[in-house]
């Protein structure tokens, strides 16, 4: 491991560029220059030049290059922990600075699922723009969980309770989920019932095994054969269902806005999932974050 003496020695003769260090961290995490470039929003040649510049400034080799990937050298492995610690510190400084901002102008990044982003948030955010016209709202439509501590978003709308420390959260509602189908599907496959559901197809936007674990407790006789069409994109799954390729489970308030969907399996008890509104605790003193958080809490509930 790098000794304290070695670190001091390096710091005394090297100008350490944090931007280059961030590139190093991205390449180490992603395992290739091209993947790191996509993460950073840069080109692969730019990332390659930045790594070369960092290696030159430190007079060491950080990565062994192969045709499609890179591997950390021993020095690169030892340096990685220190750079991660620097990244955590930089993020906390950024969070603290953002938290002290008392302006209701500037950007607020909200992350939510694709369905929430496309069908629920637009009218809510439209009303907010009248209240605070100087705000810049960036909606990150992503079905994965973004890391608030790493500043991948300022506010998150999630359907699982967060377990990271230093987060402020509020359970705003329970989403009512039900089965729906298009007239095209019903015309081709007939009306599904609890008794014959095993003869039908269901469009899923999560892994089939996860969906089975979710549905089996409801007494539905289903197997992976009932999930021949899936997509990691909720919007793609919804479009497949609209075209009659299968039934789908969607939030009730979203389905009501889709005039060509019919509620089916109405004798089945509705499924409910919690909706959490989450932000970092450092944001509690930021007027713009608090304004958006409170507005979302009111409208979502």
């Amino acid at each position: 491991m790098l000794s304290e003496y070695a670190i001091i020695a390096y710091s005394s003769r090297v100008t350490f560029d944090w931007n280059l260090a961030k590139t190093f961290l991205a390449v180490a995490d992603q395992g290739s220059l091209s993947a790191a470039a996509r993460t950073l929003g840069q080109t692969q040649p730019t990332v390659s030049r930045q790594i070369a510049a960092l290696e030159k400034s430190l007079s060491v080799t950080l990565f062994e290059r192969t045709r499609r990937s890179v591997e950390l050298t021993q020095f690169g492995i030892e340096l990685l922990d220190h750079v991660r610690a620097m990244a955590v510190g930089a993020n906390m400084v950024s969070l603290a600075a953002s938290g002290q901002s008392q302006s209701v102008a500037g950007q607020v990044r909200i992350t939510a699922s694709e369905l929430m982003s496309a069908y629920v948030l637009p009218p809510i955010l439209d009303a907010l723009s009248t209240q605070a016209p100087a705000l810049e709202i960036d909606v990150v439509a992503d079905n994965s969980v973004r890391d608030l501590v790493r500043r991948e978003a300022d506010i998150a709308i999630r359907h699982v309770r967060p377990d990271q420390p230093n987060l402020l959260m509020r359970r705003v509602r329970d989403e009512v989920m039900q089965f729906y189908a298009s007239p095209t599907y019903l015309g081709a496959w007939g009306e599904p019932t609890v008794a014959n559901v095993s003869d039908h197809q269901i469009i899923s936007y999560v892994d089939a095994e996860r969906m089975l674990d979710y549905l089996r407790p409801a007494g539905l006789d289903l197997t992976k054969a009932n999930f021949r069409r899936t997509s990691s994109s909720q919007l793609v799954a919804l479009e497949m269902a609209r075209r009659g390729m299968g039934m789908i489970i969607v939030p009730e308030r979203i389905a009501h806005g889709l005039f060509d969907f019919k509620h089916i399996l109405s004798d089945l008890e509705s499924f409910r999932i919690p909706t959490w509104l989450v932000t970092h605790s450092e944001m509690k003193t930021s007027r713009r974050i608090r304004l958006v958080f409170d507005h979302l809490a009111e409208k979502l509930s």
Side-chain angles (χ1 to χ4, degrees), residues 159-202:
H159 297 298
V160 292
R161 183 186 175 91
D163 56 7
Q164 284 182 293
N166 300 320
L167 294 180
L168 293 174
M169 64 191 77
R170 186 183 304 178
R171 186 169 179 168
V172 291
R173 66 177 288 137
D174 283 353
E175 207 69 64
V176 178
M177 310 284 288
Q178 295 177 331
F179 276 99
Y180 293 87
S182 70
T184 302
Y185 177 83
L186 295 174
W189 291 76
E191 185 82 18
T193 64
V194 173
N196 71 13
V197 71
S198 60
D199 298 327
H200 287 264
Q201 282 295 304
I202 302 172

Side-chain angles (χ1 to χ4, degrees), residues 38-70:
R38 289 192 294 271
T39 300
L40 296 169
Q42 299 177 354
T43 64
Q44 180 175 333
T46 298
V47 170
S48 181
R49 285 195 299 270
Q50 290 175 342
I51 293 298
L54 181 59
E55 290 178 326
K56 182 178 180 180
S57 70
L58 297 175
S59 300
V60 295
T61 300
L62 298 172
F63 294 100
E64 297 291 348
R65 276 78 163 174
T66 63
R67 289 189 63 185
R68 295 188 176 182
S69 64
V70 294

